[in-house]
Amino acid sequence: MAVSNMVFSDVESFLDTHPELFEDYLNRKGKHSVVEKWLKNHQASKAPVPAEPEKVNARKDSWASKGDGLQRRASQKELRKTFARSKAINANRTYDEHVNSRAQEPLTSMRRRALLRKASSLPPTTAHILSALLESRVNIPQYPSTAVDFKYYLKEHNEREFFLELVKDISNDLDLTSLSYKILVFVCIMVDADRCSLFLVEGTTNKKTLVSKFFDVHAGITVLPSLSNSDEVQVPWGKGIIGYVAEHGETVNIPDAYQDRRFSDEIDKMTGYKTKSLLCMPIRNSDGEIIGVAQAINKSSSGALFTEDDEKVLQMYLPFCGIAISNAQLFAASRKEYDRSRALLEVVNDLFEEQTDLEKIVRKIMHRAQTLLKCERCSVQLLEDIESPVVKFTKSFELLSPKCSADTESSFKDSMEKSSYSDWLINNSIAELVASTGLPVNISDAYQDPRFDAEADQFSGFHIRSVLCVPIWNSNHQIIGVAQVLNRLDGKPFDDADQRLFEAFVIFCGLGINNTIMYDQVKKSWAKQSVALDVLSYHATCSKTEVDKFKAANIPLVCELGIDKLSFDDFSLDVDAMITAALRMFMELGMVQKFKIDYETLCRWLLTVRKNYRMVLYHNWRHAFNVCQCMFAMLTTAGFQETLTEVEILALIVGCVCHDLDHRGTNNAFQAKTGSALSLLYGTSATLEHHHFNHAVMILQSEGHNIFSNLSSREYGDLMQLLKQSILATDLTLYFENRNTFFELVNKGEYNWNVKAHRDMCRSMLMTACDLGAVTKPWEISRKVAELVTNEFFEQGDRERSELKLTPSAIFDRNRKDELPGLQLEWIDGICAPLYETLVKLNPKLQPMLDMIQANRAKWEELNEERERAQSVSQPPSHCSGDSTKTTDGTLANAGSAPPCGGDADGDPSKPAS
């Protein structure tokens, strides 16, 4: 039927005769708002509008209470189901801080993306992702409150259903503000009161107050209005009727309020409302502790008083209210802790994001602390000298809340020096007290505290009510400053929870400030080091005059220099002649031609290497040249040049020249004992050897010194690896680790030049043999070298005795220098002879070196026998063989007592020389 042809009177008549069709339509398509509108229009009073007799009977049957529950018609059951479904639409509404303004907003994908963007500022850990999900999915049931008129209707017709409805309504609300308002309204309905108030207990055990944000008229109490919120009223504990009920836990029912001495008419005078009867009752939680007070004023019926039935009803209902309030308070507390924990996580993230600028990191931390603590002002002050007993601040940072500042853009003041900044922030007596004592200060009323400087407050023009000030500590538990917050925005003092939170924030603040200061110090140290290296590089490199001199010099032949002999005299050449001899070695081995080494660069490199050896007794440029000459002789005369590759030969020659660069005349053990910069930089394993290699690399990287510049990338990489192996091989610790394996391979005839590991061990043994080569030289040369090494060791022993207060071992103790022959015998037998004997088996051309060792040993044995005979004449025989004993493999159990003969002891104390 078209709409234009419809006769609505006919439709209405049809529905009157077929009510089940109307009910069915309403059940299927009716809306909650339509039902409420119908109830409102048909309930002018609290009683339902009179209806036809049959409909009244039907209603009575519908709401009548039977023995086992409520009996309803099928259509009415469907109506209630539809009504329940309309309520359930909001059952899983997401909680948010702005729930009232977003009550109808769905959780769209756009909002989800916004939340994830917010979480993306945190490190991508499980905890932070969970935080974002929690924020977007905290399911807080937000049932819309059932219409007040409907509750009045239930009260008149079904008290059981009415009571259950009220309990259910408050049990589904975890928002404390909304819950308080509901309880206020429901109490009014239950006892038919004209006005009602709800006060909740706040504060610590020793300082409780009663606070209400919802009230119409509050009579019979002493009122202290809130300083920041006119809608909130605070009642002192034990004051007035409200305070009396909270303190004593008793119900107070007063028929005439003006006749009770506890009543105050202050509010009545302010509002013009006259309080007559009054019913006040405590609210307890599940543990029986009083958490609030409910107050009803004046029965709605004129002249009526609150009855015992009203008291019983409230006694039944308020326990449920106590449970609901406790749950809401627990949720609010957990939500607050969640927000605070998230803020701490964000602070940690800020610390990792920004550790280079002190002002930026302090600003971020103060902003987050101020936002969470909701205070008017926040400041951080840093001490000028943390070691000084006098408290003096040098840098101060301040953040003013936008709510207290007209210009929010300039709320953060830049850090200023004290000389130009002299207001209350620097002259704050509380900050000075905290900095001097290291104890936090929490002042609830500044002007009542004797520690507070009221004059400075008046001078600044900023009125301080409450102060929370805590010290800032660094990683060494030293106070580096103080942080303080002033005046909570709600006018309340800072409580214990605020103090704990602020102390946690200040821990992060201290970490951030300490890291930033350390970063600044590192930057300055790096700058100083850069300048120092630049200066040292300039002075440590050779001059152009020296380079030109050797570049134009005539280089003698090998036979003229005698550098191809295994018995070369280590003291036959002067410092300049050693440079020309080194140049001849590079040319004779074909290194200059093969690797296209620029001759001027080679001269400059050799001169700079010589300049970077220190003027110590033994480990100097002459020792480096002699090791290199020994390697040259073994390569040419003994024929190792035919077995090794050209890259290996270059690495060995360069390694010999650089193997003791910047040696300080002390061994690795001394570096570890003194905790020197080298031991801190390289550790205690091959400390000096790593330093020698890095120093060699530094010279190669200096401008005009890279003799490897014309090598291919692959050759350069291989060469640097071989060079490092060669220099580290001079650490006798590595020699002891590898020598048994090498000896076994050679003795069993299993050594194979084609196996990389075998070649690596052989090169290392060659480096050690050359480093200890002085023991293979003629007796006069060998003895002279032994004396130089011993004197250098004595100087180290003197430093151990004077600086470290230690008794040095025999080889470092000049008081036991007469033991040198016996220690030298142990040195030869335990360290030198086994190595050269094995090399001779590998290459018989090295036999002259072994023969010279045996000859020198005979000389040392002769000297040792003379010493023993002299001792036997002057005193009874005693064993003076030093502190060492041989192990089964021929090594020394304490080789640190063995004297060197051109040895190297850059390793641990068990190594005899360096």
Side-chain angles (χ1 to χ4, degrees):
M1 181 170 54
V3 176
S4 58
N5 297 327
M6 289 180 59
V7 179
F8 289 97
S9 59
D10 294 339
V11 175
E12 186 176 8
S13 176
F14 176 80
L15 291 175
D16 288 340
T17 57
H18 298 84
E20 67 276 6
L21 295 178
F22 170 75
E23 290 176 358
D24 181 73
Y25 178 86
L26 183 63
N27 287 334
R28 289 185 294 104
K29 296 188 176 182
K31 296 182 178 178
H32 177 221
S33 58
V34 175
V35 177
E36 294 221 329
K37 185 176 180 181
W38 183 91
L39 289 171
K40 185 175 181 180
N41 293 336
H42 289 74
Q43 279 187 302
S45 64
K46 295 182 179 59
V49 177
E52 296 178 6
E54 59 180 0
K55 292 185 178 180
V56 172
N57 294 334
R59 184 180 300 159
K60 288 181 179 179
D61 293 340
S62 171
W63 300 103
S65 177
K66 303 295 181 179
D68 57 348
L70 299 176
Q71 301 296 324
R72 308 181 182 88
R73 289 194 330 212
S75 60
Q76 290 172 328
K77 291 182 180 179
E78 287 298 324
L79 181 61
R80 286 189 60 81
K81 288 180 181 178
T82 303
F83 179 70
R85 279 195 298 270
S86 69
K87 290 173 62 179
I89 293 175
N90 296 316
N92 292 320
R93 180 171 298 155
T94 301
Y95 176 82
D96 195 272
E97 295 171 356
H98 309 291
V99 66
N100 294 329
S101 62
R102 295 208 311 239
Q104 302 300 325
E105 179 187 351
L107 185 62
T108 61
S109 59
M110 183 179 298
R111 182 164 169 247
R112 285 181 183 276
R113 288 195 296 270
L115 287 168
L116 290 175
R117 281 196 301 272
K118 181 177 181 181
S120 66
S121 63
L122 295 172
T125 64
T126 305
H128 300 146
I129 296 173
L130 181 60
S131 298
L133 295 177
L134 282 175
E135 183 176 0
S136 63
R137 281 297 187 188
V138 179
N139 293 325
I140 307 302
Q142 294 290 325
Y143 289 106
S145 180
T146 309
V148 173
D149 290 339
F150 183 65
K151 287 182 169 57
Y152 275 116
Y153 175 82
L154 290 178
K155 181 183 177 183
E156 291 293 329
H157 295 83
N158 194 318
E159 290 186 357
R160 179 182 177 185
E161 184 71 17
F162 164 71
F163 190 84
L164 292 176
E165 185 70 24
L166 297 189
V167 172
K168 181 178 66 175
D169 217 341
I170 62 172
S171 65
N172 290 329
D173 201 333
L174 288 178
D175 181 70
L176 190 58
T177 302
S178 171
L179 177 64
S180 299
Y181 180 75
K182 285 182 180 180
I183 293 174
L184 180 149
V185 173
F186 296 166
V187 169
C188 283
I189 297 174
M190 296 185 77
V191 299
D192 199 20
D194 185 51
R195 305 291 174 91
C196 190
S197 304
L198 178 64
F199 291 82
L200 299 179
V201 178
E202 292 186 1
T204 60
T205 304
N206 299 327
K207 195 174 182 180
K208 293 182 179 179
T209 57
L210 294 155
V211 179
S212 173
K213 293 183 179 180
F214 294 103
F215 69 99
D216 289 313
V217 174
H218 297 271
I221 59 173
T222 303
V223 180
L224 296 175
S226 172
L227 296 174
S228 60
N229 190 347
S230 59
D231 293 333
E232 184 178 283
V233 170
Q234 296 183 8
V235 178
W237 188 259
K239 300 296 183 180
I241 295 177
I242 297 293
Y244 175 84
V245 171
E247 184 178 29
H248 296 86
E250 300 176 2
T251 300
V252 173
N253 189 346
I254 304 174
D256 187 351
Y258 280 83
Q259 297 300 318
D260 194 294
R261 60 181 177 81
R262 296 167 296 183
F263 175 75
S264 172
D265 61 352
E266 183 179 342
I267 297 297
D268 282 11
K269 291 178 180 178
M270 292 171 54
T271 62
Y273 182 89
K274 184 171 179 62
T275 301
K276 298 176 183 178
S277 57
L278 186 148
L279 176 59
C280 194
M281 187 175 293
I283 302 176
R284 302 176 185 271
N285 60 15
S286 58
D287 296 327
E289 181 183 353
I290 296 176
I291 60 173
V293 175
Q295 177 180 259
I297 302 174
N298 296 351
K299 273 279 194 177
S300 297
S301 304
S302 58
L305 302 177
F306 293 107
T307 65
E308 291 185 3
D309 290 340
D310 294 329
E311 293 182 26
K312 291 180 180 179
V313 170
L314 281 186
Q315 287 175 351
M316 293 175 59
Y317 184 63
L318 291 184
F320 293 99
C321 296
I323 295 173
I325 291 173
S326 296
N327 291 339
Q329 289 175 335
L330 286 173
F331 175 75
S334 63
R335 178 70 189 187
K336 187 176 182 180
E337 288 302 317
Y338 163 74
D339 290 337
R340 291 184 172 189
S341 300
R342 185 178 63 181
L344 290 177
L345 289 173
E346 291 172 350
V347 168
V348 174
N349 182 55
D350 289 341
L351 288 177
F352 285 102
E353 283 186 346
E354 181 61 64
Q355 293 193 13
T356 60
D357 191 294
L358 182 63
E359 178 184 328
K360 288 182 180 179
I361 196 168
V362 174
R363 179 192 296 151
K364 285 183 178 181
I365 295 175
M366 287 196 306
H367 175 72
R368 295 196 183 278
Q370 187 185 73
T371 301
L372 203 57
L373 289 172
K374 295 179 174 58
C375 60
E376 294 181 2
R377 207 163 187 169
C378 182
S379 66
V380 171
Q381 302 166 60
L382 302 181
L383 290 173
E384 184 176 55
D385 184 4
I386 62 176
E387 302 290 346
S388 174
V390 179
V391 175
K392 185 178 181 182
F393 297 114
T394 179
K395 284 187 177 181
S396 300
F397 305 87
E398 181 193 7
L399 185 63
L400 189 65
S401 172
K403 295 182 180 180
C404 303
S405 175
D407 185 7
T408 59
E409 296 296 327
S410 61
S411 61
F412 182 83
K413 299 180 180 179
D414 294 334
S415 59
M416 290 163 279
E417 300 297 331
K418 184 175 179 180
S419 59
S420 62
Y421 190 53
S422 59
D423 75 354
W424 68 271
L425 194 57
I426 291 296
N427 298 319
N428 189 347
S429 58
I430 300 299
E432 295 175 354
L433 176 65
V434 171
S436 60
T437 63
L439 300 175
V441 171
N442 190 348
I443 301 176
S444 57
D445 189 345
Y447 278 81
Q448 300 299 320
D449 195 291
R451 298 169 294 181
F452 179 71
D453 186 358
E455 293 183 3
D457 185 46
Q458 295 171 358
F459 175 77
S460 68
F462 180 82
H463 180 66
I464 300 177
R465 299 186 305 272
S466 56
V467 180
L468 176 57
C469 188
V470 297
I472 303 174
W473 306 85
N474 64 9
S475 57
N476 296 324
H477 205 66
Q478 295 173 305
I479 298 176
I480 60 175
V482 297
Q484 67 178 2
V485 288
L486 306 174
N487 299 356
R488 274 179 48 163
L489 291 175
D490 59 5
K492 298 178 182 179
F494 296 103
D495 54 26
D496 292 339
D498 294 329
Q499 181 172 333
R500 289 194 300 270
L501 176 65
F502 195 47
E503 287 176 340
F505 264 98
V506 167
I507 291 174
F508 292 115
C509 187
L511 290 174
I513 291 172
N514 191 52
N515 291 345
T516 306
I517 292 175
M518 289 179 61
Y519 176 81
D520 187 60
Q521 292 174 348
V522 168
K523 283 203 306 183
K524 290 180 180 178
S525 298
W526 178 86
K528 290 179 181 179
Q529 183 182 17
S530 180
V531 173
L533 286 176
D534 185 57
V535 173
L536 290 174
S537 177
Y538 176 79
H539 291 286
T541 55
C542 61
S543 65
K544 187 177 184 304
T545 304
E546 289 180 300
V547 176
D548 293 340
K549 170 186 173 182
F550 285 96
K551 182 180 177 182
N554 183 27
I555 308 301
L557 299 175
V558 171
C559 58
E560 296 174 359
L561 295 169
I563 55 178
D564 58 339
K565 298 179 181 179
L566 294 174
S567 59
F568 174 79
D569 184 354
D570 290 354
F571 302 97
S572 62
L573 301 177
D574 59 26
V575 290
D576 287 344
M578 286 187 284
I579 293 292
T580 57
L583 289 170
R584 172 54 64 186
M585 292 180 201
F586 274 88
M587 290 187 290
E588 191 70 21
L589 292 171
M591 299 295 102
V592 176
Q593 300 82 355
K594 168 62 181 176
F595 298 104
K596 299 181 176 59
I597 300 175
D598 180 74
Y599 191 71
E600 180 178 343
T601 302
L602 179 61
C603 293
R604 184 181 297 109
W605 175 76
L606 280 172
L607 288 167
T608 299
V609 168
R610 182 182 72 177
K611 201 169 185 178
N612 279 268
Y613 273 92
R614 301 195 181 199
M615 299 299 293
V616 294
L617 289 176
Y618 175 70
H619 291 95
N620 48 36
W621 163 244
R622 180 173 296 280
H623 167 65
F625 171 78
N626 289 332
V627 173
C628 184
Q629 182 276 326
C630 187
M631 180 63 73
F632 177 78
M634 293 176 73
L635 290 171
T636 55
T637 303
F640 279 104
Q641 185 179 8
E642 301 172 0
T643 306
L644 299 172
T645 65
E646 292 174 324
V647 173
E648 287 176 320
I649 293 173
L650 180 60
L652 289 171
I653 291 294
V654 173
C656 289
V657 173
C658 299
H659 84 281
D660 271 333
L661 269 171
D662 195 45
H663 200 290
R664 283 92 190 281
T666 54
N667 62 4
N668 286 336
F670 186 82
Q671 306 302 322
K673 290 176 184 177
T674 58
S676 67
L678 290 179
S679 64
L680 295 176
L681 182 61
Y682 300 110
T684 57
S685 175
T687 303
L688 288 171
E689 285 73 26
H690 281 100
H691 176 60
H692 302 326
F693 170 72
N694 286 344
H695 203 89
V697 173
M698 183 188 71
I699 294 175
L700 287 170
Q701 291 177 343
S702 299
E703 185 178 359
H705 290 76
N706 190 2
I707 59 176
F708 305 146
S709 60
N710 292 321
L711 272 67
S712 66
S713 298
R714 181 176 179 180
E715 287 178 329
Y716 185 85
D718 294 341
L719 180 60
M720 294 307 293
Q721 287 294 326
L722 293 173
L723 177 61
K724 185 174 184 179
Q725 290 176 9
S726 299
I727 294 178
L728 294 183
T730 59
D731 179 10
L732 286 183
T733 302
L734 296 179
Y735 163 71
F736 282 119
E737 290 178 1
N738 297 324
R739 76 173 197 165
N740 288 339
T741 303
F742 179 72
F743 292 171
E744 186 177 356
L745 288 173
V746 175
N747 293 332
K748 291 183 177 180
E750 297 176 358
Y751 180 84
N752 188 347
W753 284 102
N754 296 321
V755 178
K756 182 179 181 302
H758 293 187
R759 295 178 71 92
D760 291 343
M761 280 190 290
C762 183
R763 288 196 309 273
S764 297
M765 296 301 156
L766 290 177
M767 286 296 300
T768 302
C770 293
D771 197 19
L772 309 181
V775 75
T776 68
K777 300 298 175 71
W779 167 247
E780 294 300 328
I781 300 172
S782 180
R783 180 170 183 173
K784 186 176 181 179
V785 171
E787 291 174 352
L788 289 174
V789 178
T790 302
N791 288 331
E792 185 178 280
F793 283 0
F794 287 164
E795 290 187 358
Q796 175 179 320
D798 294 342
R799 292 183 61 184
E800 290 180 1
R801 182 178 280 109
S802 61
E803 297 176 14
L804 304 178
K805 310 302 180 184
L806 298 175
T807 301
S809 57
I811 192 170
F812 297 99
D813 191 350
R814 66 173 66 251
N815 297 328
R816 302 172 64 180
K817 60 182 178 181
D818 59 323
E819 298 179 18
L820 177 61
L823 298 175
Q824 190 68 26
L825 289 174
E826 293 179 356
W827 163 259
I828 293 174
D829 294 340
I831 296 176
C832 302
L835 172 62
Y836 291 100
E837 289 172 357
T838 305
L839 289 176
V840 168
K841 292 179 181 178
L842 189 66
N843 188 339
K845 293 181 180 180
L846 297 178
Q847 184 64 43
M849 300 180 76
L850 184 59
D851 294 341
M852 194 59 67
I853 289 178
Q854 299 301 331
N856 289 333
R857 187 189 185 286
K859 292 286 186 179
W860 288 115
E861 188 172 13
E862 182 180 342
L863 291 175
N864 188 52
E865 290 175 355
E866 291 179 1
R867 184 182 69 87
E868 290 178 350
R869 284 195 298 269
Q871 285 182 341
S872 63
V873 172
S874 61
Q875 62 184 11
S878 62
H879 296 285
C880 299
S881 59
D883 297 336
S884 63
T885 57
K886 282 189 181 180
T887 60
T888 55
D889 65 349
T891 63
L892 298 181
N894 184 4
S897 60
C901 184
D904 205 331
D906 284 353
D908 55 31
S910 67
K911 293 168 58 176
S914 176

